[in-house]
Each structure stands twice: as structure tokens, then as C-alpha cells.
Amino acid sequence: MQAEIGTDVGRARQWLEEGKCVGIPTETVYGLAANALDKEAVLSVFRIKNRPDFDPLILHTFSVEEARKWITQMPAKAAVLASEFWPGPLTLVLPKSPLIPFEVTSGLDTVGIRVPDHPLTLALLQQLGFPLAAPSANPFGYVSPTTAAHVSLQLGGRIPYILDGGPCRVGIESTIVGFEEDEPVILRKGMISQGMIEERIGLVKIKVHSTSNPRAPGMLLSHYAPHTPVELAGKAGAFDPQRTGYIAFAIKHPGIPVSHQEVLSSSGDLFEAARSLYAALRKLDAMDLDRIYIEFVPEDGIGSAVNDRIRRAVCKT
Ligand code: TXA
Ligand code: MG
């Protein structure tokens, strides 16, 4: 049975209350959601995604006050970020309440938590009597989904329902901020940039490049990667243009068939580039080419997060 795709929040709610997993829209990427308080439901998220059990899930809830129920402590700087950016594409890693099962956090004492900014999912969360544990709704290691159709293609055979909230407005995963002795650390880059965070709470460190950081396993270097090998554009070497895909930031490559090319933003808009990146990777991956070349985008603001995802799509370690 293939998942039903629809906009019925009540239907999504019914399945979740029965302990099933449902695809949900957020402003960043689609999530694969389950009742976070139901251990069996949480374990089925890992099975459906083929996700290793050491990679913790993100908890989704509908307000700052609600989030406080699921954590034991909110450092002052975290409270500032929560009130500034929630609902929005920011995840805070904070000490978890005993109410949250260790299945959600892969045994960690902290939980990543956020309030997503999508009207359908906020309505759903308000109706439910529990928070949702939801990683991105892709098979582990593959490109995250930014439409209901992306979710359906890969996980549609394993879940009963996908709540269709249209294409994701941000297009890349949330910024993750953790705290070391109350000092903020960016664990994953996203639309909420280092500059935006520092404007509110002062200096913040970035620790996203570790290959085996057990505290942010989703940051394994090879991640967000299509099956077709992806290489950085501009690398020397011969290639067969008929067998090559190309993802340009703003201007197409003159030597490759236009039908094999995706432009992230013809006007050079970094937000549009973030929104287009995953669909472009998926589209070219489906064309069965020998390789895909991709250009970096300018490194400022959200561009830094886009380049981070490009690096991970390229890297095969
Ligand atoms: O934008 C998003 O955050 C999307 C949407 C669906 O909300 N979710 C998402 O989830 O990207 P996922 O599972 O693909 O990434 C979750 C990552 C983990 O891989 C890990 O890096 C980090 O969040 N994380 C979760 N809990 C953590 C914790 N307690 N400590 C450190 N990192 C944690
Ligand atoms: Mg993911």
C-alpha cells in the first residue's frame, strides 16, 4: 500500500495516535513523525529510515512554553534564541526531561527540540497530546525531501499518510545550537546563520566538521548524498557531456546539455538556492548519469549552510 497524500490534519492525527509514522511538512524539510512518548513508534522511525540507532531524533512542539515541558533547563541565551526564532528553523539541544524516552535521543541526556514554522504541522501539534519525534523523511544518508512527492517516492510504501504542506520554504535542515557550560555552539549550519545568532547573544562557536562527532552524528561527512557521484565543478579532467549533470548557482555551463542542468537561482538569490538544492540533486540523480558537477554558492549567510550541504553531497568517505 502506498501512503495517502493529503492535507487532512485530523487524519494525520489519527494515524499518529495509533502509533504509526506520518510524513509532515515543515519550513525546512519534510519530517518522518511519530509520537515521541511512544517508544515503539519511535523505534519504527529508525526502522523505516534505516537509520542507525546512535543518531538522535529532533523533538517538535508548538510553542516555547510547551517546549519547556520536555527539557529540564533553558540557559538564558537559549531562551533568547527560542523567543527570537521560534517558530522557525532553529533546533536547540538542551537537557532532556525524564518524560522523553532515551529511544528519541539515542541514549543522550540532551534532546534537540524545535518549533517548526508550518501552519499544518503547528495545527497538528496543537491537537496532539504529545510532541513529535521527527528526523528528515529520507532513507538514512540520502538527500532530504522538500515536497510530499519526494517523501512518497522513497518512504511511501512504509507509511500510511503524508501531510502535504507544499514545497518547503527554507529547503535545508534547521540550524542546530547546543550549549557547553551555557556557551552556545553551532552543531549544524542552517538558515539561521552565525551572524543572526551573534547579533542576539554574542559570540558563538561552530563545531560542525567532525566526521565522527557522537553528539551530532547527522553531521557525518558523507550525508545528503545522491547515488550518482557528485563532484565539485571546475575540477580538471575529461568528461562526457552527454553523461554529465550540472548544478549551477546562477548561470548554466556552456558545455553541457541544458536538459542535464539545474540552476539554483537565476537571480543569484541565496534563499532561492537553498530552496532548490535538494530537488535539483534528486532530479539529476534520477537521470542515471555518470556524475553530477555542482558549483559552490557565495559563502555569506544561508550560503554557508548551502555550501555545507554541497560538501557533504560531494564527499564519499
Ligand atoms: O530541519 C530539521 O531539523 C528537520 C525537520 C524535519 O525538523 N529535521 C532534521 O532531522 O533534520 P534529522 O534527524 O535529519 O537530523 C537530526 C540531527 C541528528 O542527526 C543530530 O545531528 C542532531 O540532529 N541532534 C538531535 N538530537 C541531538 C542531541 N541530543 N545532541 C546533538 N545533536 C542532536
Ligand atoms: Mg536527516
Side-chain angles (χ1 to χ4, degrees), residues 28 51 55 58 60 110 114 135-136 173-174 176 188 215 218:
T28 58
R51 183 182 181 99
D55 194 0
I58 292 177
H60 295 68
T110 53
R114 79 181 196 98
S136 52
E173 302 78 358
S174 60
I176 301 182
R188 180 172 72 184
R215 297 187 40 246

Side-chain angles (χ1 to χ4, degrees), residues 49 51 136 138 144 173 188 223-224:
K49 271 192 65 127
R51 183 182 181 99
S136 52
N138 50 289
S144 296
E173 302 78 358
R188 180 172 72 184
H223 216 79
Y224 314 109

Side-chain angles (χ1 to χ4, degrees), residues 176-312:
I176 301 182
V177 176
F179 292 85
E180 290 176 355
E181 317 270 313
D182 287 359
E183 286 313 306
V185 181
I186 295 177
L187 301 174
R188 180 172 72 184
K189 293 182 181 181
M191 194 204 94
I192 309 288
S193 64
Q194 180 179 17
M196 290 164 75
I197 292 171
E198 292 189 331
E199 238 171 69
R200 271 75 177 194
I201 59 168
L203 287 187
V204 51
K205 280 191 225 146
I206 304 195
K207 286 196 187 170
V208 298
H209 284 297
S210 155
T211 48
S212 59
N213 179 358
R215 297 187 40 246
M219 299 322 288
L220 295 176
L221 262 179
S222 176
H223 216 79
Y224 314 109
H227 305 302
T228 312
V230 180
E231 286 180 38
L232 286 177
K235 267 182 79 173
F239 60 90
D240 173 0
Q242 297 309 320
R243 301 285 311 145
T244 302
Y246 196 88
I247 300 179
F249 171 46
I251 299 165
K252 286 196 173 106
H253 188 290
I256 293 173
V258 286
S259 59
H260 299 180
Q261 295 204 54
E262 292 294 315
V263 173
L264 296 181
S265 170
S266 51
S267 63
D269 178 319
L270 289 169
F271 291 95
E272 186 181 20
R275 218 157 38 232
S276 327
L277 176 67
Y278 289 155
L281 283 166
R282 282 171 177 265
K283 193 165 166 199
L284 294 182
D285 198 22
M287 292 178 74
D288 194 32
L289 299 163
D290 289 344
R291 96 188 66 181
I292 299 166
Y293 282 116
I294 188 164
E295 293 176 357
F296 277 135
V297 305
E299 179 67 23
D300 42 272
I302 193 173
S304 175
V306 173
N307 286 338
D308 170 90
R309 301 309 190 275
I310 291 175
R311 250 175 240 117
R312 286 170 212 281

Side-chain angles (χ1 to χ4, degrees), residues 84-157:
E84 282 283 330
F85 295 118
W86 283 353
L90 175 75
T91 295
L92 296 172
V93 174
L94 297 169
K96 80 170 194 68
S97 141
L99 298 169
I100 300 299
F102 282 109
E103 281 76 2
V104 173
T105 65
S106 298
L108 297 174
D109 294 321
T110 53
V111 65
I113 186 165
R114 79 181 196 98
V115 178
D117 188 13
H118 192 291
L120 283 186
T121 292
L122 283 174
L124 174 64
L125 286 163
Q126 268 155 8
Q127 287 183 23
L128 293 168
F130 46 80
L132 291 173
S136 52
N138 50 289
F140 183 70
Y142 195 69
V143 183
S144 296
T146 52
T147 66
H150 292 164
V151 181
S152 180
L153 268 174
Q154 290 180 303
L155 303 181

Side-chain angles (χ1 to χ4, degrees), residues 7-15 124 127:
T7 56
D8 186 346
V9 170
R11 196 108 170 94
R13 172 186 168 184
Q14 275 172 358
W15 286 115
L124 174 64
Q127 287 183 23

